[in-house]
Amino acid sequence: MGFIKDLGEIYLAGNYQRFPVAFVRGKGTRLYDEEGREYLDFCAGIAVCALGHAPEVLAQAICEQAQKLLHVSNLYWTEPQAQVARLLCENSFADKVFFCNSGAEAVEAALKLARRYAWKNFGPEKHQIVALENSFHGRTYGALSATGQPAYWQGFEPLVPGFRHVPPNDTEALQRAVTGETCAIILEPILGEGGVIPLEESFIRAARELADKNQALLIFDEIQTGVGRTGRLFAYEWYGIEPDIMTLAKGLAGGLPLGAMLAREEVMATLEPGTHASTFGGNPVSCAAAQAVLKIVLNKDFLKEVELKGLSLAQRLNSLKEEFSELVQEVRGKGLLQGLVLKVSASPVMRFLFEEKRILVTCIKDRVLRFTPPLIVAYREIDALYEALREALKNYPLKEVQNA
Ligand SMILES: *Cc1c(COP(=O)(O)O)cnc(C)c1O
């Protein structure tokens, strides 16, 4: 480990806290560093590499498309984009899709659409957006203003005006915040970056009812929970409550950049020609990848497997909670988006897994270990994670290991 890290430290912006490792290739649930050391990946590019690393079907779809057409402007039609839009609409509440390149861009598109829809139908006063404390919606100004974590705002204010935040699962606070001036409520069904906090069905139902009562739109940010992550194609299916707008990105193209904003026809009709655009959005190669991902994830047996593996992971984590009740507070999540909430700092556990076991996990909000493996993770790999976590918790507090 040297050259790549040294080069990066000289030339790359210092905005990431990186582990001292450079990965050069991957296969399935495994990553390999410069020296050929193997790592088991329960991060998956933060819920991006849904089918694992370098899956054959994706590599093939990407290569074939790259040899045909890399890019044309959205002034013209392309087949992969139209096909992915059809797959998304045929399998969701939505009728229409706008494509972009990332999660933040999908959120920007959703916020802009909600404001413009209200402006057109009700006038400019109706522009307030209600979001949740502890939410995460991205780093661009609109998405950042929706994000309910002041730590992310520091030094970047003033933010976009017109946002209000209420605590997740606090129905009364939501009732107070949503008024006739509200144009949208934006929610993650499970707050991912906020600490893997699932919203209660009653709260989501209240949001739907308040949106309807106040002629506001309900936006689900499923950038982390969508595309099979929770054992359903979209997490909202668990509740049987549909949004008016939904954002997707992360797992959508299995590792290539692609974001999408979906909406009902009547809502999307507000985006008339010229109102919004993206040069790269819906790029043919990314869409060819998304087509390959969706064909696999849409398979009922595949989603059932994700659900069962998620149950297995949750069960393993819950047995750790029983065994180490003085260290473990809670297990929460759905499918293959699970959080192990500790009563103590989680980063020593994360570092132990990385350095001693070569298992990659993420640590959020200081005390939460998050697991977002590729959806193709094997049961024995879940067992391996369990054994490693058990050893870490047994030896907690772990001796301070030096971090280069
Ligand atoms: C990751 C994430 C985003 C931001 O996506 P980027 O591609 O990093 O811009 C937005 N919302 C949620 C729920 C996310 O998990």
Side-chain angles (χ1 to χ4, degrees), residues 74-316:
N74 279 311
L75 294 168
Y76 313 99
W77 304 99
T78 56
E79 188 181 0
Q81 199 181 110
Q83 294 287 11
V84 177
R86 177 168 77 165
L87 282 173
L88 291 173
C89 291
E90 283 179 351
N91 291 284
S92 75
F93 73 97
D95 307 304
K96 300 279 186 183
V97 183
F98 165 81
F99 283 112
C100 48
N101 311 285
S102 67
E105 281 175 78
V107 169
E108 291 294 331
L111 300 174
K112 283 182 72 180
L113 174 59
R115 282 211 169 150
R116 195 174 162 89
Y117 177 82
W119 171 82
K120 204 173 160 193
N121 290 292
F122 307 103
E125 265 73 63
K126 195 173 177 64
H127 64 257
Q128 294 281 342
I129 295 167
V130 177
L132 299 185
E133 289 172 10
N134 249 321
S135 61
F136 182 80
H137 298 292
R139 306 285 195 153
T140 54
Y141 262 109
L144 184 65
S145 305
T147 293
Q149 302 189 56
Y152 290 118
W153 304 339
Q154 206 171 49
F156 297 114
E157 290 168 277
L159 300 176
V160 177
F163 286 83
R164 302 177 66 166
H165 294 92
V166 302
N169 292 326
D170 185 340
T171 303
E172 277 173 29
L174 188 67
Q175 276 162 348
R176 282 194 299 274
V178 179
T179 70
E181 292 191 352
T182 305
C183 71
I185 304 170
I186 181 166
L187 313 170
E188 300 158 83
I190 301 170
L191 283 70
E193 302 303 309
V196 192
I197 303 169
L199 291 182
E200 287 157 17
E201 185 169 332
S202 60
F203 182 78
I204 297 179
R205 193 168 303 283
R208 178 71 272 175
E209 285 165 9
L210 284 165
D212 291 341
K213 198 174 115 205
N214 291 281
Q215 294 174 299
L217 299 174
L218 182 59
I219 305 169
F220 286 168
D221 180 348
E222 292 231 24
I223 288 165
Q224 194 156 148
T225 54
V227 199
R229 176 58 50 190
T230 69
R232 293 287 183 274
L233 186 59
F234 305 114
Y236 77 78
E237 295 171 30
W238 286 105
Y239 312 99
I241 299 167
E242 294 185 344
D244 304 296
I245 300 175
M246 176 168 71
T247 54
L248 299 175
K250 292 206 162 90
L252 182 55
L256 287 197
L258 184 66
M261 187 271 284
L262 290 68
R264 290 190 293 106
E265 179 152 29
E266 180 231 351
V267 176
M268 196 72 98
T270 324
L271 286 193
E272 293 142 3
T275 51
H276 194 58
S278 167
T279 298
F280 287 117
N283 170 274
V285 181
S286 290
C287 284
Q291 240 181 307
V293 169
L294 287 170
K295 273 191 191 141
I296 289 170
V297 174
L298 274 167
N299 190 312
K300 282 264 173 322
D301 295 337
F302 185 91
L303 285 172
K304 189 76 207 167
E305 270 294 296
V306 173
E307 184 184 350
L308 292 175
K309 285 171 191 167
L311 287 172
S312 162
L313 175 56
Q315 193 180 38
R316 290 305 218 172

